[in-house]
Amino acid sequence: MSDAFVRVCGLSELEEDTPKRVEIDGTPVSVVRTEGEVFAINDICSHANVSLSEGEVDDCHIECWLHGSRFDLRSGKPDSLPATRPVPVYPVKIEGDDILVSLTQES
């Protein structure tokens, strides 16, 4: 994995509470603008192999559309079953209108 930040989209392209799926070096990432911040979380649910970016965003969480597991956008930790394992979250930088994400996992 690269420590480098990669431009994934423009801030103006990202609607509030509407996840956007992007790929960085083949890794699917969901980028979310909510509550005045931008988050990047791995786009694949840890319970089932489905895209989290197709789910809904509420209260700084993203919900998997298939089984309803909710993941905290800040930590990647699930707060509802059936998911029990977190999904990776990634550092985000905003430079002007550019949203940059690094695949380095935050701790």
Side-chain angles (χ1 to χ4, degrees):
M1 286 194 191
S2 171
D3 287 349
F5 280 84
V6 176
R7 183 189 186 280
V8 294
C9 65
L11 191 58
S12 59
E13 299 170 46
L14 202 56
E15 292 182 43
E16 184 81 7
D17 296 331
T18 302
K20 180 177 182 72
R21 185 177 203 248
V22 299
E23 281 202 16
I24 303 171
D25 296 332
T27 299
V29 176
S30 183
V31 181
V32 180
R33 181 181 189 175
T34 188
E35 299 182 9
E37 294 186 66
V38 176
F39 300 93
I41 188 167
N42 191 283
D43 192 45
I44 304 301
C45 178
S46 63
H47 169 256
N49 189 23
V50 297
S51 175
L52 290 176
S53 63
E54 295 178 28
E56 294 186 8
V57 174
D58 182 50
D59 193 28
C60 220
H61 288 76
I62 191 165
E63 182 175 309
C64 179
W65 63 269
L66 188 59
H67 296 115
S69 289
R70 286 172 32 103
F71 297 89
D72 189 314
L73 290 167
R74 297 164 292 222
S75 67
K77 293 179 182 173
D79 70 359
S80 63
L81 296 174
T84 58
R85 291 176 293 128
V87 293
V89 294
Y90 307 110
V92 174
K93 283 187 193 177
I94 298 174
E95 295 179 355
D97 186 57
D98 293 334
I99 298 173
L100 302 120
V101 175
S102 171
L103 288 183
T104 302
Q105 292 184 33
E106 294 187 335
S107 49

